[in-house]
Amino acid sequence: MFDSLLSSFLKKSDDEPFIAVDIGTSAIKILSVMPTGDRFARQGYKLVGVGVAPTPAGAVNNNAVVKPEAVGKAIRTLIDANDIKGERTTFAVPAPAVFTKRITIGYCEPKDLEKNITFEAGNYIPHTIEAVHLDYQIVKVHGTSSMDVLLVAVKNEIIDSYAAALQQADLIPAIADVDSFALENMFEISYPEERAKTVALLNIGSRYTNVSILQDGQSLFAGDVGVGGRLYTDALCEALHMTPAEAEKIKAGETPSGYDESVVAETFDRTTEHIAAELQRQIGFFWNAAATDRSIEGIYVCGGAAQIPGLVEEIGVKTGMICVAVEPFRWIEWNSQFDEDLIKEVMCSMGVSVGLAIRRFGDKKQAQARIGVNG
Ligand SMILES: Nc1ncnc2c1ncn2[C@@H]1O[C@H](COP(=O)(O)OP(=O)(O)OP(=O)(O)O)[C@@H](O)[C@H]1O
Ligand SMILES: [Mg+2]
């Protein structure tokens, strides 16, 4: 009785870490970190909890969680197995489900902003205002004449499907972020020395790849390309009639037994070639859309599929640019309680999770628009 009364009187500290949950088509990634140093001079983060598990088969479809119970159960199991504390979560919405548009509106006072933007947004977003979660960020103010605003809209049913999975795991869905925005935040925090450059940041997942063009620490353009590690699984299963589990082993670099090695190699190389060519084409397209006169100086790559042998190298060959593997845990330290080998195995796929985990309530510095849920 007293316990519950006491807890209802105690406000949660703003420094209590969120649990970051990235529900991908292939894997569920969970992360919790605490800042080291004080509020004003944060030097890095320390790892509080981490866990990765396969997403239940068919549970994420069309950018929504279609089996919230199964996903919720998998999340709860991960949290319990890794002894991760807390309830409030930040979670990722897949970029392909998000509508973004930069618009110019007449200058207005802050008190009128929300009303005006909501009114203007109705002209741009392909759904009714009531059907979406809408957020915005002022990108540039042109004196007292006009302002550029980034609109961000996601259909309610998409956000609700992710929130439902978290609720099934007895968690509180507090803040939703677009995966590409979280990724850009991770990069900004992890690679401050690259801030002055123009770079492409890739996150190669299972179904799609996030591509951001960053310059001077700002996102010039973010898009997604429908290629990822699942193409290998599909191609191997089709060409050799193997099971997805067998294909996964080959993707991780194991030598296949019982299959024609030359067909495996040919299928593998063809897929690598296709993905690299498609990314090269789209990076060029996105760079054009970014409308910068500066060239891309390097490509930074993360995502689970970036570990597929030869893929990152082939992207380097196709684009003729230096491709560097991103280390999302670059500014995160961990103690001996954590399994170093396991962390090294999963961190490549945790770029989005790191960007989500470093969010705090009351974050003022927001490079992009955020989609608030209960936050
Ligand atoms: N160690 C590894 N070696 C090779 N491939 C790997 C490895 N780990 C994961 N992958 C591949 O990476 C992909 C999953 O990456 P990731 O977890 O980033 O995707 P996801 O977030 O689940 O997918 P999406 O965001 O596209 O829905 C899968 O295709 C998987 O086979
Ligand atoms: Mg992903």
Side-chain angles (χ1 to χ4, degrees):
M1 158 82 178
F2 276 122
D3 269 349
S4 62
L5 195 62
L6 192 63
S7 58
S8 67
F9 272 90
L10 284 174
K11 269 178 77 182
K12 300 225 179 201
S13 153
D14 273 357
D15 270 344
E16 180 186 280
F18 284 98
I19 302 175
V21 185
D22 176 15
I23 305 168
T25 338
S26 166
I28 298 169
K29 281 83 70 178
I30 295 185
L31 181 68
S32 177
V33 299
M34 278 287 270
T36 53
D38 63 30
R39 235 170 214 283
F40 304 102
R42 284 185 178 154
Q43 285 132 12
Y45 295 87
K46 79 169 189 262
L47 186 62
V48 176
V50 58
V52 176
T55 305
V60 177
N61 198 12
N62 251 336
N63 299 316
V65 179
V66 291
K67 295 181 184 172
E69 241 175 76
V71 172
K73 206 167 151 199
I75 293 172
R76 190 72 249 166
T77 306
L78 254 184
I79 286 187
D80 290 345
N82 292 287
D83 202 19
I84 298 172
K85 302 277 185 289
E87 291 176 316
R88 299 185 305 179
T89 59
T90 48
F91 62 102
V93 180
V98 181
F99 173 86
T100 54
K101 188 162 181 68
R102 194 169 159 149
I103 62 167
T104 302
I105 61 168
Y107 180 84
C108 62
E109 294 297 323
K111 66 177 174 38
D112 300 322
L113 199 58
E114 185 154 347
K115 191 172 71 162
N116 290 2
I117 286 177
T118 307
F119 179 75
E120 290 277 347
N123 297 324
Y124 296 97
I125 58 175
H127 311 287
T128 60
I129 291 286
E130 296 73 38
V132 298
H133 276 69
L134 179 71
D135 207 344
Y136 60 86
Q137 175 76 22
I138 299 167
V139 184
K140 211 172 195 175
V141 178
H142 306 280
T144 51
S145 62
S146 63
M147 49 219 291
D148 295 344
V149 176
L150 180 70
L151 288 181
V152 182
V154 188
K155 281 177 95 176
N156 294 335
E157 63 213 50
I158 305 255
I159 297 245
D160 292 350
S161 78
Y162 285 85
L166 295 168
Q167 280 157 345
Q168 289 283 341
D170 292 328
L171 295 171
I172 301 167
I175 297 179
D177 206 348
V178 182
D179 61 7
S180 53
F181 294 174
L183 203 67
E184 291 171 1
N185 268 357
M186 174 281 297
F187 188 76
E188 198 192 327
I189 296 278
S190 308
Y191 289 83
E193 74 277 17
E194 299 302 293
R195 237 172 248 169
K197 292 188 186 161
T198 306
V199 301
L201 173 63
L202 309 188
N203 176 45
I204 316 176
S206 170
R207 275 173 310 163
Y208 66 94
T209 297
N210 302 103
V211 180
S212 290
I213 310 290
L214 305 172
Q215 187 176 81
D216 297 332
Q218 283 207 333
S219 173
L220 295 185
F221 193 88
D224 48 86
V225 185
V227 293
R230 194 159 76 180
L231 291 182
Y232 287 90
T233 317
D234 292 349
L236 287 166
C237 292
E238 196 185 308
L240 292 127
H241 307 291
M242 60 176 65
T243 63
E246 286 171 315
E248 286 303 325
K249 285 188 191 163
I250 295 177
K251 286 163 75 179
E254 279 189 33
T255 313
S257 62
Y259 292 100
D260 185 332
E261 276 189 41
S262 64
V263 181
V264 171
E266 190 273 323
T267 309
F268 211 87
D269 293 348
R270 186 166 30 86
T271 310
T272 301
E273 159 91 26
H274 168 66
I275 294 176
E278 190 59 16
L279 288 175
Q280 184 251 339
R281 207 170 66 83
Q282 296 286 354
I283 290 168
F285 178 71
F286 292 167
W287 176 74
N288 264 331
T292 170
D293 49 11
R294 281 159 54 184
S295 313
I296 294 174
E297 293 162 77
I299 300 180
Y300 281 83
V301 194
C302 63
Q307 298 169 96
I308 293 175
L311 180 57
V312 173
E313 290 79 357
E314 184 62 22
I315 297 168
V317 171
K318 280 270 180 314
T319 56
M321 284 186 229
I322 297 168
C323 281
V324 183
V326 176
E327 292 172 54
F329 280 27
R330 197 175 182 212
W331 287 93
I332 299 174
E333 55 190 28
W334 56 87
N335 61 25
S336 56
Q337 181 198 344
F338 293 97
D339 184 328
E340 174 107 6
D341 292 338
L342 264 182
I343 288 177
K344 289 191 166 152
E345 212 178 296
V346 298
M347 67 163 115
C348 185
S349 66
M350 300 199 76
V352 171
S353 319
V354 171
L356 294 173
I358 58 182
R359 295 292 310 274
R360 291 281 177 281
F361 269 116
D363 268 359
K364 285 287 178 286
K365 193 191 144 303
Q366 294 185 349
Q368 304 92 1
R370 307 294 179 197
I371 305 156
V373 178
N374 299 321

